Amino acid sequence: MKIVQYILWTLWRIWFYILMGVPIIVLSPLLILSILSEKTYPQFFILARLWAKIILWGMGLPYRIVREQQLEQGKSYMLVANHTSMTDIMLMLVISKNPFVFVGKKELVKIPIFGFFYKRTCILVDRSSSKSRFEVFKRAQARLNQGLSICIFPEGGVPDDENVILDEFKDGAFRLAIEHQIPIVPMTFYDNKKRFSFKFFSGSPGLMRAKVHEFVGTEGLRLDDKKDLKDRVRQIIYKELLKDQK
């Protein structure tokens, strides 16, 4: 019986990568046109949201989103959430209709087909390089100046310890939010790890729940307030995850 389960897990993972790749191939003429200029990024973002919905529904991962506050059209935000799964990317795209740019690890560039567009539309960071981290701030500032939002998973990666509910947050998202005086949008992803973790032989179809918490303002804050802001946002997500475990 265990062998059957491993076979089903393998087929399910293969299906995930098929769902990632085939829509990109089909939509590639439009996708390529939409990345020729930064001005057409909003059009690329519409296609990216369609791609995300195809993957989630195709994997049998319907979603339910509870919102304490609504994003305003045309306004920039700093979007942050806990990070446990590759499907975090898709769920974030579904949640926000406001065009945003991901700040993500450069290793994802290696994924065939997906990596081509990821490299050209996201802000890549090499966390082992201080120069790379500085370049991230410059590129993120440029995108915010264009009226876009930024999405950063502030844990900086997926926690190594399986028992860790939420890892410590890095400073980057909060520094950028303060410098640009934009609201932070904390989000809790409850089920992504259970549904589709980075562990190959794991997961199952089922509901993926997310909560968009009340926004945390940064107006009037200075960089000296960065730690308090970071801790406040982390506590919002951490307490929600703890409450869901009870």
Side-chain angles (χ1 to χ4, degrees):
M1 192 64 186
K2 198 70 175 176
I3 293 174
V4 173
Q5 191 173 25
Y6 279 114
I7 292 172
L8 290 174
W9 271 327
T10 301
L11 292 174
W12 199 48
R13 292 278 167 165
I14 292 171
W15 178 238
F16 175 74
Y17 287 106
I18 290 172
L19 282 173
M20 280 187 69
V22 170
I24 293 176
I25 294 170
V26 172
L27 295 170
S28 58
L30 294 174
L31 289 168
I32 290 170
L33 285 173
S34 67
I35 62 172
L36 292 177
S37 167
E38 290 186 348
K39 292 180 180 179
T40 55
Y41 183 83
Q43 284 69 48
F44 170 84
F45 187 77
I46 292 171
L47 295 171
R49 294 190 76 233
L50 173 62
W51 169 80
K53 291 177 181 180
I54 290 171
I55 292 172
L56 292 180
W57 285 106
M59 289 294 290
L61 299 170
Y63 43 85
R64 185 174 70 214
I65 302 159
V66 174
R67 301 176 188 268
E68 292 185 342
Q69 192 170 347
Q70 297 287 339
L71 298 170
E72 294 180 28
Q73 190 175 359
K75 191 170 181 179
S76 294
Y77 298 92
M78 177 61 67
L79 312 176
V80 301
N82 54 310
H83 191 29
T84 56
S85 168
M86 280 189 69
T87 57
D88 297 343
I89 293 172
M90 294 80 186
L91 190 56
M92 185 67 77
L93 283 166
V94 167
I95 288 172
S96 175
K97 292 182 180 180
N98 288 33
F100 66 83
V101 177
F102 281 108
V103 174
K105 54 187 179 182
K106 67 172 188 177
E107 288 80 5
L108 294 182
V109 170
K110 299 175 184 177
I111 299 176
I113 305 173
F114 169 82
F116 174 83
F117 292 98
Y118 177 79
K119 181 179 181 179
R120 287 158 179 79
T121 56
C122 299
I123 300 171
L124 308 186
V125 58
D126 177 358
R127 292 188 173 89
S128 64
S129 167
S130 58
K131 181 181 178 182
S132 173
R133 292 196 299 270
F134 178 72
E135 286 297 319
V136 165
F137 279 103
K138 287 175 61 179
R139 291 191 62 195
Q141 286 172 342
R143 294 306 233 168
L144 286 168
N145 289 336
Q146 292 167 0
L148 300 174
S149 295
I150 298 290
C151 173
I152 297 179
F153 295 108
E155 290 168 279
V158 178
D160 295 327
D161 188 341
E162 285 286 317
N163 297 315
V164 173
I165 297 175
L166 187 67
D167 215 339
E168 294 301 318
F169 282 3
K170 310 296 184 185
D171 290 344
F174 308 97
R175 175 180 165 185
L176 276 168
I178 290 173
E179 286 181 343
H180 288 267
Q181 297 286 283
I182 58 173
I184 295 173
V185 183
M187 304 185 200
T188 300
F189 294 170
Y190 302 94
D191 308 302
N192 294 26
K193 185 175 183 177
K194 177 174 65 177
R195 295 294 172 219
F196 199 85
S197 77
F198 282 91
K199 184 179 176 183
F200 190 86
F201 294 113
S202 66
S204 64
L207 182 66
M208 295 177 75
R209 298 166 299 143
K211 184 172 185 177
V212 180
H213 298 277
E214 188 174 343
F215 306 163
V216 178
T218 59
E219 290 183 12
L221 296 185
R222 301 178 299 175
L223 286 179
D224 292 343
D225 302 308
K226 181 176 57 183
K227 184 181 184 305
D228 289 340
L229 178 65
K230 177 178 66 175
D231 292 344
R232 180 182 170 190
V233 172
R234 184 179 181 277
Q235 281 299 307
I236 291 171
I237 299 173
Y238 181 69
K239 288 178 180 178
E240 190 67 27
L241 289 171
L242 277 181
K243 187 170 69 174
D244 189 61
Q245 287 189 345
K246 294 178 180 178

